[in-house]
Amino acid sequence: MRFTPTFVLASLAAFTACAPATTTTVATAPQPVVAAIDSVSIRTLVGQLDLEQYKATIKGLTQFGDRRQGTARNRAAVDWIEAQLKSYGCTNTERITYNYQVDTTRRASTVRGRLPTSAPGGAKLRGNLAPIGVNGDSLAQPDPKIRALDTEQTVSGERQEVYCTKIGSTHPDEMYIVGGHMDGIGWGEAANDDGSGTALVMELARVFSSPDVVTDRSIRFILWNNEESGLNGSRAYVAQRQSLQGKEGEPKWLGMIQHDMMMFDHGMPRPDHTMSPEQRPEADVNIEFQVNSKMAAESQKLAWFFQNANEKFATDYPASVGQHMTNTDSDPFKDIVPSISLRENERGTQIGAGWDPQWHQPTDLYATYNDKDFRLGLNAAQTTLSAVAELVGARLGK
Ligand SMILES: [Zn+2]
């Protein structure tokens, strides 16, 4: 079993006992003593996250409509995100450039879709189902302003995605990658999918970029493009940069943490396919790894590490761990480094069963959500911020 950094080995070893035993390759040698975590610093950093600020960042993203890849509104959103990152003090922004050829055989259905018959990622559907699909009908968007905003359709050609990096003080050449996808589809505002994940990554970039925050290791904040077309932006990153690790500009990857659809957990659909209008009290942050991947054991440890950080530092909603990570930008990394995704629901068993009626629909609007929904996203941000802060050795002061 290959662990990447010694630090992670030490940090994660404490959590192997509570993890379900899907693998039995846990090291049996005595583990190094984990350095005392600076909980005061981490709690202070978590306190820098703010519900109104998180909402404002999501709202800012929705000015670009659904931000569909290959359009002017998508490029404008990349520019806006980059300007925001710089304004937060994450000034070393860079872009990945790649080419994407539109697959004209992939056409959005013009209706909400059909009841699902199977779940992706190795998951199993249970209980009540609701229809899923991608809206491709402009007239399904009743607001003429949003309809006009989303009218330009995608064309093949050059694409870009932006990232910035918090440089570690003692191990700048090693980093965790924290990502969300900034493109969307469906003739709405992509407020939840994935404005909520994009805003989470941006908020973490803001907190970690404060000049009084020091980290031992580096963190790269990246807003993927072309997720909805098939993870093309994250695949381009892996294709271009995997072999550059350890060389200038590309620290060694220690782990990849993806965020997608962070806000809506209203429970299982009712038997008539309708949904509860309120966030369920049992709402949780779903942390998934992929059991059928080369890095399954390490990824599982990382998932439980995040679950534990949630217990310690998240204010309102708990986190759950699942083993069927799929259809997300951490997928291209899953055989290379420990990789997890955070979501409002499990991708296979829950989103795949129709638990989010706004998914790829004209109703994925900022105005659709209330503070209980936004707060689930904020709790996911608290979870990732505290976990990553521990992993990179974050503290206040010089
Ligand atoms: Zn998404």
Side-chain angles (χ1 to χ4, degrees), residues 181 183 192-194 227-228 260-261 327 343 359-360:
H181 74 86
D183 66 311
N192 189 25
D193 184 10
D194 188 22
E227 193 272 354
E228 299 290 5
D260 194 356
M261 302 173 69
N327 291 66
R343 273 194 173 100
W359 185 37
H360 300 157

Side-chain angles (χ1 to χ4, degrees), residues 240-260:
Q240 292 183 24
R241 307 204 69 90
Q242 181 181 1
S243 63
L244 298 179
Q245 287 180 77
K247 298 173 189 158
E248 197 173 340
E250 193 66 20
K252 179 175 163 55
W253 305 346
L254 301 182
M256 197 307 196
I257 301 125
Q258 173 70 5
H259 304 83
D260 194 356

Side-chain angles (χ1 to χ4, degrees), residues 74-93:
N74 174 276
R75 291 188 290 276
V78 174
D79 291 343
W80 183 81
I81 291 166
E82 181 167 27
Q84 293 295 115
L85 292 172
K86 285 180 185 292
S87 76
Y88 303 153
C90 210
T91 53
N92 57 358
T93 57

Side-chain angles (χ1 to χ4, degrees), residues 8-9 13 27 31 59 210 220 235 261 289 298 308 374 390 392:
V8 175
L9 174 61
Q31 301 299 324
K59 180 82 178 152
S210 172
R220 178 154 292 171
R235 290 189 205 287
M261 302 173 69
F289 67 98
E298 294 86 347
N308 195 66
F374 290 115
E390 289 193 38
V392 301

Side-chain angles (χ1 to χ4, degrees), residues 374-395:
F374 290 115
R375 195 168 291 282
L376 181 63
L378 188 77
N379 274 252
Q382 294 169 335
T383 302
T384 295
L385 191 154
S386 56
V388 170
E390 289 193 38
L391 290 170
V392 301
R395 61 200 175 275

